[in-house]
Amino acid sequence: QSVLTQPPSASGTPGQRVTISCSGSSSNIGRDSVNWYQQVPGKAPRLLIYTTNRRPSGVPDRFSGSKSGTSASLDIYGLQSEDEADYYCVAWDAGLNGYVFGSGTALIVV
Amino acid sequence: EVQLVQSGGGLVQPGGSLRLSCAASEFIVSNYWMHWVRQVPGKGPVWVSRINKDGRRIDHADSVKGRFSTSRDNAKNMLYLQMNSLKVEDTAIYYCVRDFVGAEDHWGQGTLVTVSS
């Protein structure tokens, strides 16, 4: 069972906005920043968002991150078929003294 | 092109040992924290360990603490993961990662470790 909880799946149509949530606790999201990865089958995860709301070079500004209290969200605007992938949130957990991943959300673009 | 080239995976019996290597090219590994992350195929990633720039600060996940050891050789631009007392549940693809969750996050190609009798 993951320390960070995400919905198992999400879906949207091309052009829509989709939001993926990540729920944690005071020992992780509540006290530290959140990061988001995208992973397509057979590939290594790709960092989309770090330090809650910053994008690495090359990541489109359609991807946006935020957090409030012990929860975080990843927003994807202008959904595209290539966004179909698994998404994971990650945060440092002070109680475990390590990084913890979310349970993952499979995004389907219908 | 920045690359992390991994080696050392394979099949090992429960209780056995294996050392994973990660060779960095086109960047200086001593400038970064380096991490190991593993993933069972079809499951989510799991953070394994991290080592700071000079190798003096090392953290491991509870699931591998006391069995796995992370080290680096900055002169050789290499990162290592020594895995001892391996268990069936350690079976996974192991990735070395530069600057995990940082602006210069970069992953190796992954290497499969299978623990089975």
Side-chain angles (χ1 to χ4, degrees), chain A residues 36-38 43-48 50 56-57 59 101, chain B residues 1-6 22-29 32-37 47 49 77 79 94-110:
Chain A
W36 290 90
Y37 281 93
Q38 176 193 63
K43 297 275 195 176
R46 171 199 182 198
L47 186 65
L48 288 180
Y50 68 102
S57 174
V59 174
F101 279 85
Chain B
E1 179 191 356
V2 167
Q3 278 193 309
L4 289 166
V5 179
Q6 299 182 227
C22 176
S25 61
E26 301 302 320
F27 74 94
I28 300 171
V29 74
Y32 299 91
W33 285 69
M34 298 294 293
H35 299 247
W36 289 97
V37 175
W47 178 82
S49 71
N77 228 27
L79 175 72
Y94 285 73
Y95 295 97
C96 63
V97 187
R98 178 189 79 173
D99 197 28
F100 176 68
V101 302
E104 297 183 66
D105 179 291
H106 188 86
W107 292 54
Q109 86 277 16

Side-chain angles (χ1 to χ4, degrees), chain A residues 5 9 17 19 21 27 44 53 56 60 62 65 68 81 83 97 108:
Chain A
T5 303
S9 64
R17 168 192 171 183
T19 298
S21 63
S27 65
N53 55 17
R62 303 187 295 107
S68 177
S81 58
D83 298 333
N97 197 42
I108 301 167

Side-chain angles (χ1 to χ4, degrees), chain B residues 47-67:
Chain B
W47 178 82
V48 173
S49 71
R50 69 175 181 177
I51 183 168
N52 76 338
K53 296 177 184 180
D54 63 11
R56 295 183 181 183
R57 169 74 188 268
I58 303 172
D59 296 303
H60 291 92
D62 287 345
S63 58
V64 306
K65 205 169 288 183
R67 301 187 299 120

